[in-house]
Amino acid sequence: MSEVVPLEPSCIVIFGISGDLSKRYLLPALFHLTKVGLLNSQTTIIGISRQSISTDELLNGVDLHHGEPEQPDDADALTRLHDQITMVQLDLENQTDYQALRQRLDVMENERGVCLNRIFYLSIPPKAFNGVIEHIGEAGLNGTCSHGTTKSSCHE
């Protein structure tokens, strides 16, 4: 059997993380990646929600074994996933909130000394896509990080 190599360190920003799609599919998939060792320990999941919600509230009641009910609970993987999630309240129409998110990501990358792959997942109504994408671009969230250290210089 070949060695499991985790994905590169990333920042996965999930808009609408408290919605049904995320709870039924995204969070169980991220939990599975954590269980099998594919989610890099430096990866951060930024959960974007319109309401103030904690990580505990988010994960409470989520069926993390969706589609694989025979799987045993894995408390260690759940703890690792919990620790990688940071919840952020954001108004999808407020550009200032996107600027604050950009600053937060820049600080996180500077503290770690590595540019993270920035992945944006829109688990929101399709009619909101254009506005969110425009705000992401206007805030420079889709650009490279400020310190310029490449991802390949980061090792577990």
Side-chain angles (χ1 to χ4, degrees), residues 23-95:
K23 288 181 177 181
R24 289 180 60 203
Y25 298 105
L26 298 176
L27 290 168
L30 291 168
F31 177 66
H32 182 75
L33 290 173
T34 301
K35 274 181 27 178
V36 299
L38 288 175
L39 198 62
N40 191 293
S41 65
Q42 289 195 38
T43 293
T44 298
I45 301 161
I46 306 287
I48 304 293
S49 179
R50 289 179 289 178
Q51 298 88 21
S52 177
I53 181 174
S54 70
T55 303
D56 289 331
E57 292 170 318
L58 174 70
L59 293 176
N60 188 30
V62 173
D63 178 11
L64 294 174
H65 300 292
H66 184 75
E68 50 180 10
E70 69 284 349
Q71 294 295 317
D73 285 336
D74 186 335
D76 183 51
L78 180 58
T79 298
R80 289 191 319 265
L81 178 64
H82 180 282
D83 292 346
Q84 288 181 278
I85 297 174
T86 300
M87 295 300 297
V88 173
Q89 185 176 1
L90 184 137
D91 178 350
L92 296 181
E93 298 176 6
N94 184 345
Q95 183 62 33

Side-chain angles (χ1 to χ4, degrees), residues 104-114 147:
R104 183 179 209 145
L105 296 183
D106 288 347
V107 166
M108 181 178 27
E109 289 176 329
N110 286 333
E111 287 174 350
R112 294 177 187 191
V114 64
H147 61 74

